[in-house]
Amino acid sequence: MRKFVVRFATCAVLVLGVVAATAQTHASKAAPGQIVIVFKDGHRQTFNLADVARMEFSGSGGVPIGEAVPTSPGVPPRGHFLGKWEVGDGSGGKFYITLDDDGGAWRSLHREHGRWAYVNGEARVTWDDGAMDAIRRIDGKDQKFAYHAGKSFTDQPDNVTDAHNTSPRPI
């Protein structure tokens, strides 16, 4: 009888462990259209992506890492824009824009720093001097759109030039 009770208790513990592990696995999966954030203490919080406008991280200086907006099929992923880009200055000259994975940006023209974000399938750079550049893929070709300080990305650009990634990385 004693062996029976020990075996029964062992089986019960094993079954309860499997049930608990299965329940935890199912609870940790987000449904489509949701994001789950796991905190350091282990608790989880789920958000519907329809309720999220953008995600910002404190290290980014308040610049959004990316907008939570659906993109069209065929739009290049964020990783497409990482690296060093050779672009035109609108007057026949060339300079470089470097986009880092952490959202940092550097421009060789006037040695300017800035921040960039992946928004609606394009790289949007805001420079410390207030100017802005966007690198967009138009009909399979990358182009740089320049905006002087005070303009927005939806305004008419000051110039549009070809853009070539000199250090493309696998995505």
Side-chain angles (χ1 to χ4, degrees), residues 35 37 39 47 49 51-69 78 102-103 115-119 126:
I35 184 170
I37 297 178
F39 294 87
F47 297 93
L49 289 177
D51 298 333
V52 178
R54 69 174 175 246
M55 293 181 4
E56 296 180 0
F57 298 90
S58 62
S60 70
V63 175
I65 298 300
E67 301 289 328
V69 188
R78 182 181 185 274
D102 67 357
R115 303 290 304 163
W116 80 280
Y118 176 73
V119 181
T126 302

Side-chain angles (χ1 to χ4, degrees), residues 56-141:
E56 296 180 0
F57 298 90
S58 62
S60 70
V63 175
I65 298 300
E67 301 289 328
V69 188
T71 56
S72 304
V75 171
R78 182 181 185 274
H80 170 79
F81 297 103
L82 297 175
K84 185 176 183 179
W85 290 82
E86 182 182 60
V87 298
D89 65 3
S91 301
K94 301 277 186 193
F95 68 97
Y96 293 94
I97 294 174
T98 303
L99 304 179
D100 295 324
D101 195 26
D102 67 357
W106 186 80
R107 179 179 76 196
S108 64
L109 183 67
H110 306 298
R111 301 179 54 84
E112 194 69 39
H113 287 91
R115 303 290 304 163
W116 80 280
Y118 176 73
V119 181
N120 295 333
E122 64 186 32
R124 292 186 177 181
V125 186
T126 302
W127 302 106
D128 292 346
D129 66 3
M132 299 183 302
D133 289 314
I135 299 176
R136 299 177 177 137
R137 175 157 278 204
I138 308 291
D139 296 327
K141 182 178 163 185

Side-chain angles (χ1 to χ4, degrees), residues 17-30:
V18 169
V19 169
T22 303
Q24 185 176 8
T25 301
H26 289 296
S28 67
K29 291 183 180 177

